[in-house]
Amino acid sequence: MNKIGVLTSGGDSPGMNAAIRAVVRSAIFRGMKVMGINKGYQGLISGDITEMTLSSVGDIIHRGGTILKSARCEEFKTEEGRKKAINVLRVFGIEGLVVIGGDGSFNGAKKLSEEGIATIGLPGTIDNDLAYTDFTIGFDTAVNTVLDAISKIRDTSTSHGRANIIEVMGRNCGDIALYAGLAGGAESIIIPEVGFCIDDVCKKLIQGKNRGKLHSIIVLAEGIVAENPQNAFEVGKEIQDKTGIDTRVTVLGHLQRGGSPTADDRILASRMGAKAVELLANNETGKVIGIKGNELFAIEIEEALQKEKKFDSEMYELAKILSI
Ligand code: ADP
Ligand code: F6P
């Protein structure tokens, strides 16, 4: 394989730049040319493509976002859109493609692969919602960002003796809430995998207050809102009304998507990026790369997408025990 392409797609995540750098530099090291495709599948359809060099990925390993930009592209979901994209790949002489994104992007990669395009996927999403891999690129940074917010909110929560609800991202997956909640010593973690009973949350708040707790942190995953008629602010109001404890709500939103990637995310992205190029060089395609027990592996895209995410109930129970 002489010429490969790389794109980032879907919601961006910290570490995507480190992954692009690893793809570009390890491919050039192997004597390949690398084309950077801008704005995900949208740029693939429109031919928004430029050649990457060793220096075009200089000074980006520590930056959040993605220098290739990202997009959500409805046209790519149509057969006609994908035909255009495949034609662009032919025109540019791109023989293999690295797609960095989440499950939606992997569905797109699967379709390209079925059309005979040599494709490799790297899991780039803060949500950690891909079942086949222990971790996705960007998750660790997002957890640390939430943790920083929890620590700051805890300061003011303690000063005022309040309860604070912190709503975090994750789409339908509660991992950001679970990991940041355990690390931040949250009193309650509300996630879609478990659901919640507002009276239990209130009971815990009152018990905590009675034993002298000065603060109460409730981490609420956005995925629960989809299943619940109340949003975070309404949950906060009900808690305040039922407990008499002054309650504030913070929705962290998109700040969880940005920021300099942690060492873990940079290392994961660098290892996975180099692995993607190795697979393409060996003509081992139609796969996504994952990590289990600190070992990288590759599996068929379809198999990866079919796996069902297992909820870490042990971690959830531990967080409950440690916050009594
Ligand atoms: P993520 O990759 O982070 O899960 P999205 O779900 O928004 O983000 O998907 C990113 C893009 O992947 C979509 O905008 C679309 O271009 C492409 N995509 C998603 N699902 C499909 C599909 N079933 N077929 C083809 N392309 C898809
Ligand atoms: O998939 C990443 C993510 O940040 C989710 O956690 C969140 O639900 C969604 O993307 C937000 O999407 P947008 O950036 O389009 O608002």
Side-chain angles (χ1 to χ4, degrees), residues 125-141:
T125 167
I126 62 165
D127 299 338
N128 211 38
D129 57 349
L130 292 162
Y132 78 95
T133 181
D134 282 351
F135 296 110
T136 58
I137 298 164
F139 171 67
D140 186 61
T141 307

Side-chain angles (χ1 to χ4, degrees), residues 9-11 41 72-73 76-77 82 101-105 107-108 111:
S9 165
Y41 293 125
R72 294 199 163 101
C73 172
F76 192 76
K77 291 185 180 169
R82 289 195 298 278
D103 62 340
S105 305
N107 271 298
K111 299 236 164 91

